[in-house]
Amino acid sequence: MAGSDLFVGTLDVLILKAVSWGPIHGYGIGRWIRQTTRDALQVQEGALYPALHRLERKGLLEEEWGVSETGREAKYYRLTTAGRGELRAAVTRWRDYAHAVTLALDTTGR
Amino acid sequence: MAGSDLFVGTLDVLILKAVSWGPIHGYGIGRWIRQTTRDALQVQEGALYPALHRLERKGLLEEEWGVSETGREAKYYRLTTAGRGELRAAVTRWRDYAHAVTLALDTTGR
DNA sequence: TCGTATACCTTGTTCACTTAGGTATTCGCG
DNA sequence: CGCGAATACCTAAGTGAACAAGGTATACGA
């Protein structure tokens, strides 16, 4: 995942979020993650493409070939109904988890 | 780690944090994590003990046999100087990472 | 005495991510 | 025109943390 090997498991929710505003291709998803996190998160392609196929197999994403902004062939992804539900659930899970970890790291005594 | 397979990679920093107030044994660390996160995070023993050995091999923790509050044999862990430095660094990494993910999940458009 | 909590451990498996490649097209620059 | 960089896709091998599922042993209360 990140440039300095960080926390496994957040890639899926980030992908679902990136796709939530309508069709976007894989390469664009990688760019979106990098940009919106101001280079804090960097997705390796070797993690990105397998993740997309995984999410498609799970029925959370649908794919369709199209033409990118630069006039090139690109595979566009879009959320299924299940994908939209999973996005909501995953965001909630992330918030709960992040809150719990922060709670622990913020305690000032045993 | 958590009850419903969550984000890998945060166990180490939580352990370092638990140990930061002085000697504590492995079982107590597991209990501390569960309690301070109000059951949100549940550490499996199959993850906890290997993690402790890993951190010890890395020179971040030191171990010593002692006697627990209940009068039983227990292995107590304590931070090394390197461990204290790594704790600080890891907490910063976590905050940066959590902030970046939250940033992405909070955006309302592409 | 019998279950529960405490306290430690390992072995096998799974699976996300890293590393490290590969193909092909388009575009800008010298 | 040539050539590197960016775009856009992909996979195979290896790593390593966490999970699942066991195991040992002691202390304590019912």
Side-chain angles (χ1 to χ4, degrees), chain A residues 27 45 49 68 70 72 75:
Chain A
Y27 196 82
E45 299 199 340
Y49 291 109
S68 80
T70 63
R72 305 187 45 192
K75 208 185 269 181

Side-chain angles (χ1 to χ4, degrees), chain B residues 1-2 5 8-9 11 44 46-47 54 70 72:
Chain B
M1 166 101 220
D5 75 321
V8 176
L11 180 54
Q44 306 304 318
R54 202 163 61 227
T70 63
R72 306 188 42 193

Side-chain angles (χ1 to χ4, degrees), chain B:
Chain B
M1 166 101 220
S4 49
D5 75 321
L6 276 195
F7 311 93
V8 176
T10 20
L11 180 54
D12 289 10
V13 68
L14 289 172
I15 290 176
L16 293 175
K17 182 72 179 181
V19 177
S20 69
W21 295 289
I24 182 174
H25 52 70
Y27 197 81
I29 293 172
R31 198 169 41 205
W32 177 83
I33 292 176
R34 185 161 39 76
Q35 283 173 357
T36 61
T37 63
R38 292 181 207 138
D39 287 350
L41 268 41
Q42 194 96 7
V43 190
Q44 306 304 318
E45 299 199 339
L48 177 62
Y49 292 109
L52 287 169
H53 303 156
R54 202 163 61 227
L55 293 171
E56 212 239 331
R57 269 200 314 279
K58 283 190 196 171
L60 305 177
L61 293 183
E62 275 172 351
E63 56 180 45
E64 194 184 356
W65 283 99
V67 177
S68 80
E69 319 83 53
T70 63
R72 306 188 42 193
E73 292 269 301
K75 208 185 267 179
Y76 279 81
Y77 291 90
R78 146 168 53 74
L79 278 181
T80 62
T81 307
R84 198 159 295 279
E86 173 55 22
L87 170 58
R88 259 194 304 275
V91 169
T92 300
R93 274 203 308 278
W94 160 257
R95 287 202 214 286
D96 290 350
Y97 178 78
H99 181 252
V101 173
T102 301
L103 200 64
L105 295 186
D106 279 352
T107 56
T108 53
R110 203 124 69 197

